[in-house]
Amino acid sequence: MLERLLKPREFCEIVGISYRTFKRWVSQGRVSVVRTPSGRIRVPYSEVERILGGRPEAREVRAVVYARVSSSDQKSDLERQVQYLTQYCTAKGYRVVDVLSDVASGLKADRRGLLKLFNYVVSRQVDVVVITYRDRLTRFGFEYLEYFFRQYGVRIEVVLGEEPKDAHRELVEDLLSIVTSFAGKLYGLRSHKKKRFLEEFKKLLEEVEKDGSS
């Protein structure tokens, strides 16, 4: 039977290292690789077993659960997220290192739970971050965070995929926050034009919500 050959990214994910570390290991001779007829680099599966000292399934996977809601009146939803994600980790055989949560907008960058998550990542104390939806971690720039985490051998598991279409309340609030910020820069913080612009924008959002519910 031919030995299974892994792509470099697959090898990095299983072993828990960044791609940069992988390239350094290859140059140092710590990992044996082969080249396909097309010139692509592949890693023999036996290298995984050699480095981990056994089958990769036996390696403990350290997980951090992260949940978020935008306001305090959604705490019941926050509890449901935590419970669901914790059960998910148990079913997957992950060891939950910590359960982090925030009550804040996905636009806010200095969330306490999020900053603590960053510390876990950069100190290499976690292998996987588990969330319900992509926007629980951040409203925009999810791909940037995914790339950043990957440099430390950490992957993000989005358990439920995209946010349901009826969960538009928070999206509207975030959109209004963005528009308010830009309007302030365009017209000035106390400008009458800004006030009029925001009033018209709110009316437009209300019309959109009515059309979506009808």
Side-chain angles (χ1 to χ4, degrees), residues 68 105-109 135 138-141 168-189 194 197-198 201-202 205:
R68 182 186 66 79
S105 166
L107 298 173
K108 190 176 180 182
D135 70 349
T138 179
R139 175 61 71 183
F140 300 110
H168 59 268
R169 171 187 167 187
E170 184 178 342
L171 178 60
V172 169
E173 292 175 351
D174 288 344
L175 183 58
L176 185 58
S177 176
I178 293 171
V179 171
T180 301
S181 176
F182 276 96
K185 293 178 181 179
L186 288 172
Y187 302 119
L189 294 177
K194 173 194 171 185
F197 175 81
L198 291 177
F201 185 75
K202 289 178 182 178
L205 287 179

Side-chain angles (χ1 to χ4, degrees), residues 92-107:
K92 295 276 286 188
Y94 298 163
R95 178 172 70 85
V96 177
V97 174
D98 202 350
V99 175
L100 305 176
S101 63
D102 282 310
V103 180
S105 166
L107 298 173

Side-chain angles (χ1 to χ4, degrees), residues 35-42:
R35 289 189 178 274
T36 65
S38 61
R40 298 182 183 278
I41 293 177
R42 293 293 182 264

